[in-house]
Amino acid sequence: MAAHLTAHEKDTFIRDGIIVRRNAIPPELIVTARQLIDRWLSRDMDLTRVDAYTQRTFAPDLGDHPDILALFDQSGVADLVASLIRRTAPVTTAQIQIRLPAVAGGTHQPVKAMHVDGVACPHHNPAELRTFTLLAGVVLSPISAPDAGALHYVPGGHLAMAEWFRSEWSLGMTEQVPPHIGTQHGEPVLAQPGDLLLMHHLVPHAVGHNASSEPRVVAYFRISHERHHQQRLDALRDPWREYEPLQPLLA
């Protein structure tokens, strides 16, 4: 995998807030991580906790497992991130997100409406921000159809959200996105194991049911600029504040 983002990838990220690099992760890392998660699914998953897993993470004990963290720190992803963010806080855990087949055990898994991570989370105090800078998602299962648990995103939504945060939003509001964003269906991210998603934190996104016959599995890494905790509000209002390598390209 090339160690840096191409000029085209940077331009796409600036415009859309998201890029997908195909076959970015070495297959042996994908196989090892997926085997670990599959063992958890078959032996340890508690179907009565699906709501909690969906809101936070599946396989919570695996988030800091070396074979999961290897998807970030032994795959070249960290080098790609450096093309977007010059100085980052250490990445020490992953969020494992699984969309179960809709018929699995008769379990109803809640959908995730259009939102920006860490803002007015339904399960947290709306005055508490849990934001970050960049989301990196390593795809661990095929996502071949929009209704197969695919993430749906609003292209260019990071710019619209920054404007909303500047002009209308205030800390403590319970709305996660403005109405004109919340009603959009978004574009699906269709991908195969080993593909890598890099998405600006401000890109609004949603996730629906999985109508396929297999679990949809993605390992997400939340990446923060090293000063993010000191400038969370500024980063909501200025989408490029924490993306120093991109700033010369914005003029």
Side-chain angles (χ1 to χ4, degrees), residues 1-203:
M1 178 175 66
H4 303 286
L5 295 181
T6 66
H8 175 70
E9 287 174 320
K10 291 179 182 179
D11 288 343
T12 300
F13 187 87
I14 290 170
R15 183 190 68 226
D16 294 341
I18 183 173
I19 56 172
V20 178
R21 180 174 279 201
R22 307 297 179 184
N23 301 310
I25 311 301
E28 61 272 19
L29 298 182
I30 297 296
V31 170
T32 301
R34 185 59 198 266
Q35 288 174 341
L36 192 66
I37 294 168
D38 284 347
R39 284 197 295 271
W40 181 88
L41 278 168
S42 63
R43 300 176 185 177
D44 300 321
M45 183 174 67
D46 180 352
L47 286 175
T48 68
R49 297 186 60 201
V50 167
D51 284 18
Y53 295 147
T54 301
Q55 292 293 346
R56 294 175 177 83
T57 183
F58 283 74
D61 293 339
L62 298 181
D64 60 355
H65 192 286
D67 290 338
I68 299 298
L69 294 179
L71 296 170
F72 180 82
D73 56 30
Q74 295 181 30
S75 63
V77 173
D79 293 330
L80 294 180
V81 168
S83 297
L84 299 172
I85 309 166
R86 186 165 294 136
R87 300 182 302 276
T88 61
V91 173
T92 59
T93 189
Q95 179 194 39
I96 298 168
Q97 271 301 329
I98 301 173
R99 297 302 302 185
L100 299 169
V103 296
T107 299
H108 173 75
Q109 185 174 13
V111 301
K112 292 188 175 183
M114 199 62 70
H115 67 285
V116 167
D117 290 329
V119 177
C121 297
H123 49 291
H124 293 299
N125 183 339
E128 180 183 2
L129 291 177
R130 299 195 173 201
T131 54
F132 48 93
T133 307
L134 177 73
L135 186 68
V138 176
V139 179
L140 299 174
S141 67
I143 310 172
S144 55
D147 64 352
L151 180 147
H152 289 67
Y153 71 98
V154 178
H158 56 311
L159 305 178
M161 288 302 301
E163 174 59 29
W164 184 66
F165 283 124
R166 285 193 300 268
S167 61
E168 300 181 46
W169 175 87
S170 61
L171 189 62
M173 288 175 57
T174 56
E175 294 84 356
Q176 291 188 283
V177 295
H180 73 280
I181 293 289
T183 56
Q184 296 192 40
H185 296 294
E187 296 292 326
V189 175
L190 305 182
Q192 294 297 315
D195 290 350
L196 171 69
L197 161 75
L198 294 175
M199 188 171 76
H200 195 296
H201 164 261
L202 289 179
V203 171

